[in-house]
């Protein structure tokens, strides 16, 4: 599921996706989606070789570049 979330966020670009939109698209349990988002967030945060990060900006999850 993490790869699907990552792909969806990449496709949406600067628009990002809300949790509600992710839930509708994935048709999955809220806890499963939250777990996968947290795992993705931590993977981006702890891997210094990645140039992107997952952020919650307002109500939308977005992939952004690291500073």
């Amino acid at each position: 599921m993490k790869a699907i979330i990552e792909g969806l966020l990449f496709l949406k670009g600067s628009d990002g996706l809300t949790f509600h939109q992710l839930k509708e698209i994935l048709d999955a349990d809220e806890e499963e989606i939250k777990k996968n988002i947290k795992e993705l967030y931590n993977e981006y945060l702890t891997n210094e070789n990645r140039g992107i990060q997952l952020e919650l900006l307002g109500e939308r999850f977005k992939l952004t570049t690291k500073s």
Side-chain angles (χ1 to χ4, degrees), residues 14-66:
S14 63
D15 290 338
L17 288 167
T18 65
F19 184 81
H20 179 72
Q21 289 172 317
L22 283 170
K23 188 175 176 221
E24 282 185 1
I25 294 166
L26 297 170
D27 191 31
D29 178 72
E30 282 187 27
E31 292 306 313
E32 184 179 355
I33 296 170
K34 287 178 184 178
K35 176 182 150 270
N36 281 277
I37 288 173
K38 286 179 185 177
E39 288 177 7
L40 265 176
Y41 175 82
N42 287 326
E43 288 174 18
Y44 287 125
L45 185 65
T46 59
N47 189 338
E48 295 177 10
N49 294 318
R50 305 285 300 259
I52 58 174
Q53 61 191 0
L54 176 62
E55 289 192 290
L56 178 61
L57 300 170
E59 294 184 3
R60 296 182 173 271
F61 292 100
K62 299 180 181 187
L63 294 177
T64 61
T65 57
K66 288 184 178 177

